[in-house]
Amino acid sequence: MGQGQQEKPATSLAGAVIEEIGASLAAVDAELARRYLGDPGTRQPVHTVYVPGDAFAADTLRSWGDRALAALDEHAPDAASFAAVLGLGDELAGPVHDRVRAKLEREPVEDLRVDFEDGYGPRPDAEEDQAAARAARLIAGAYENGTAAPYMGIRVKCLESAVRERAIRTLDIFLTGLMAAGGLPRGLVLTLPKVTYAEQVSAMVRLLDAFEKTWGLTPGRLGFEIQIETSQAILAADGTATVARMIRAAEGRATGLHYGTFDYSACLGVSAAYQAGDHPAADHAKAVMQVAAAGTGVRVSDGSTNVLPVGSAEQVHAAWRLHYGLTRRALARAYYQGWDMHPGHLPTRYAAVFAFYREGFAQAAARLARYADRVGGDIRDIGDNGEITDEPATAKALGGYLLRGLDCGALDPDEVHRLTGLTRPDLEHFAAPRRA
């Protein structure tokens, strides 16, 4: 062989074998492409705030922000006192406190659900009709005048027989009201509670499909969250994971799985004193939800705590520490969203989220910057000083981490660019939200 010529590697398998293998896996390829699209690449709110249908008003968002600020002023008026309550280090005390206050002033609620289920209860039909129509008017008005949260919508009653017609009517009145007010807002979210069988998800799909056809909307325009609040939603009678069936039954319309802390705990017989997001039963349920949703584009949300930060300073501080700890625990387990039940929960929701992203920011930025520099080279090569070696899957996680930090306000675009040399489109490229 002459100098400069390369030896042609020998093979043993005929082309027909490769074609046969490809044909045999064609159905699997199609299934993967259809069911595992990856993350949608849109912003995920860090929380959902529930407000009863009769209590929701045009100033609800601003009122929650003001009440949260008042709680800070009363019980932790400066960075040092807030950090002392939560156990934040000196390097985080100022940045977290300042960002929490700025967030409460600018965007106190990221996702709001007007509740017509447990938070509203049974009412005369005429009363719920009016409340549903009013919710549509207020939400449409908020998006029109720029005061809306990034995401807003309603939770109707479940589709069990006792309240099925009421749930459908409330949903119809609300969506019809939005259409009459100018159309469906981009941040619209619908929540279906107490789902136990995949057939209930299929029924919701048929309802939304019928509504879209009535108004000539793009098929699939309406999606919904599935609340996991019963044991049957996790494990079916035949031993299979019901929640995976539900995602399939949603036919691409499922946007989230939301864990219901107290209904689920009670369903399993957990006594009231031990019903919490860190109970082993809760961990099991959320782990099943997480695995079932992985790669599908359906996001998982943690539940809430019912310990409210009210009363004396000692009581408020104790409730804040509990909520902060539960939120940090959830974030470490990749549950990036939860429920907040009271304005007093907002300071610790944002403190936990901001601390989570700011604590890991420098290391994540450095790792992604190193990875970006090595793309095209041997990224398995470990550098000096004990650097961590990263692969594409880790780069995806690092990109997603920084994007989430940017979306919620924990990080600023300028500082991310300064430490990584990357723009937001670059981060989105590494995060690779969806399959081609």
Side-chain angles (χ1 to χ4, degrees), residues 15 53 152 162 166 174 199 226 232 246 338 345 381 395 405:
M152 299 182 77
R166 181 64 261 178
F174 176 72
E199 288 81 358
I226 302 169
Q232 297 94 332
M246 291 177 181
H345 285 141
D381 179 45

Side-chain angles (χ1 to χ4, degrees), residues 107-123:
E107 187 183 71
V109 175
E110 293 195 359
D111 183 26
L112 182 135
R113 207 71 72 250
V114 184
D115 191 15
F116 288 93
E117 201 230 355
D118 284 348
Y120 186 73
R123 307 288 181 96

Side-chain angles (χ1 to χ4, degrees), residues 361 365 368-369 372 395 398-400 402-404 406-407 412-432:
F361 169 45
L368 189 57
L398 292 168
L402 295 175
L403 285 171
R404 290 179 184 278
L406 286 169
D407 284 342
D412 297 325
D414 289 345
E415 63 179 346
V416 172
H417 182 265
R418 185 171 64 252
L419 291 192
T420 64
L422 302 173
T423 63
R424 185 180 182 100
D426 294 330
L427 297 178
E428 291 170 347
H429 168 75
F430 283 115

Side-chain angles (χ1 to χ4, degrees), residues 227-250:
Q227 282 200 261
I228 306 301
E229 303 176 90
T230 66
S231 61
Q232 297 94 332
I234 294 297
L235 191 69
D238 63 1
T240 59
T242 314
V243 66
R245 292 181 180 178
M246 291 177 181
I247 293 173
R248 183 167 186 163

Side-chain angles (χ1 to χ4, degrees), residues 54-392:
D54 57 336
F56 178 56
D59 65 346
T60 292
L61 298 175
R62 187 61 265 153
S63 173
W64 271 61
D66 290 343
R67 290 169 65 187
L69 285 166
L72 267 180
D73 289 339
E74 181 177 358
H75 299 292
D78 52 42
S81 57
F82 195 44
V85 172
L86 303 181
L88 296 174
D90 292 342
E91 71 286 355
L92 284 175
V96 167
H97 178 265
D98 293 346
R99 286 172 187 271
V100 167
R101 290 199 66 91
K103 181 74 169 181
L104 295 175
E105 292 166 355
R106 181 186 74 254
E107 187 183 71
V109 175
E110 293 195 359
D111 183 26
L112 182 135
R113 207 71 72 250
V114 184
D115 191 15
F116 288 93
E117 201 230 355
D118 284 348
Y120 186 73
R123 307 288 181 96
D125 283 340
E127 182 179 342
E128 185 160 338
D129 284 354
Q130 292 300 313
R134 178 173 169 271
R137 289 194 303 272
L138 290 174
I139 288 177
Y143 278 103
E144 184 178 355
N145 63 29
T147 61
Y151 297 94
M152 299 182 77
I154 66 168
R155 176 171 70 170
V156 296
K157 292 176 173 62
C158 69
L159 291 181
E160 293 179 357
S161 59
V163 292
R164 183 180 301 141
E165 290 187 11
R166 181 64 261 178
I168 294 171
R169 182 170 175 82
T170 297
L171 179 67
D172 189 4
I173 290 172
F174 176 72
L175 292 176
T176 301
L178 289 177
M179 294 302 298
L184 304 178
R186 290 177 59 87
L188 175 66
V189 189
L190 307 173
T191 305
L192 180 65
K194 293 184 175 61
V195 184
T196 54
Y197 282 79
E199 288 81 358
Q200 293 165 329
V201 173
S202 296
M204 185 68 164
V205 170
R206 290 196 295 274
L207 286 171
L208 299 182
D209 179 67
F211 188 88
E212 289 166 352
K213 289 177 178 175
T214 298
W215 285 90
L217 298 172
T218 303
R221 168 63 180 86
L222 288 164
F224 61 100
E225 301 166 337
I226 302 169
Q227 282 200 261
I228 306 301
E229 303 176 90
T230 66
S231 61
Q232 297 94 332
I234 294 297
L235 191 69
D238 63 1
T240 59
T242 314
V243 66
R245 292 181 180 178
M246 291 177 181
I247 293 173
R248 183 167 186 163
E251 299 179 22
R253 292 182 185 268
T255 59
L257 302 173
H258 284 228
Y259 176 68
T261 305
F262 305 104
D263 283 282
Y264 187 84
S265 298
C267 183
L268 268 62
V270 179
S271 61
Y274 296 96
Q275 293 177 0
D278 57 355
H279 190 281
D283 285 340
H284 172 259
K286 286 179 285 190
V288 174
M289 292 162 59
Q290 189 174 44
V291 173
T296 66
V298 179
R299 289 161 165 170
V300 175
S301 173
D302 199 1
S304 62
T305 175
N306 60 357
V307 179
L308 305 183
V310 297
S312 67
E314 183 178 357
Q315 291 172 309
V316 171
H317 290 173
W320 273 353
R321 281 190 289 270
L322 173 66
H323 185 240
Y324 177 87
L326 289 172
T327 303
R328 287 300 305 263
R329 185 180 189 272
L331 290 167
R333 286 159 173 75
Y335 309 134
Y336 298 113
Q337 186 175 353
W339 301 7
D340 286 327
M341 307 285 285
H342 187 274
H345 285 141
L346 298 185
T348 39
R349 169 67 61 182
Y350 292 125
V353 170
F354 294 166
F356 175 74
Y357 289 109
R358 294 207 67 81
E359 278 182 357
F361 169 45
Q363 184 185 60
R367 289 175 67 177
L368 189 57
R370 285 198 300 269
Y371 177 86
D373 287 342
R374 293 174 184 173
V375 169
D378 185 358
I379 61 172
R380 295 168 299 172
D381 179 45
I382 301 178
D384 298 331
N385 303 320
E387 292 178 0
I388 300 173
T389 178
D390 289 320
E391 297 185 353

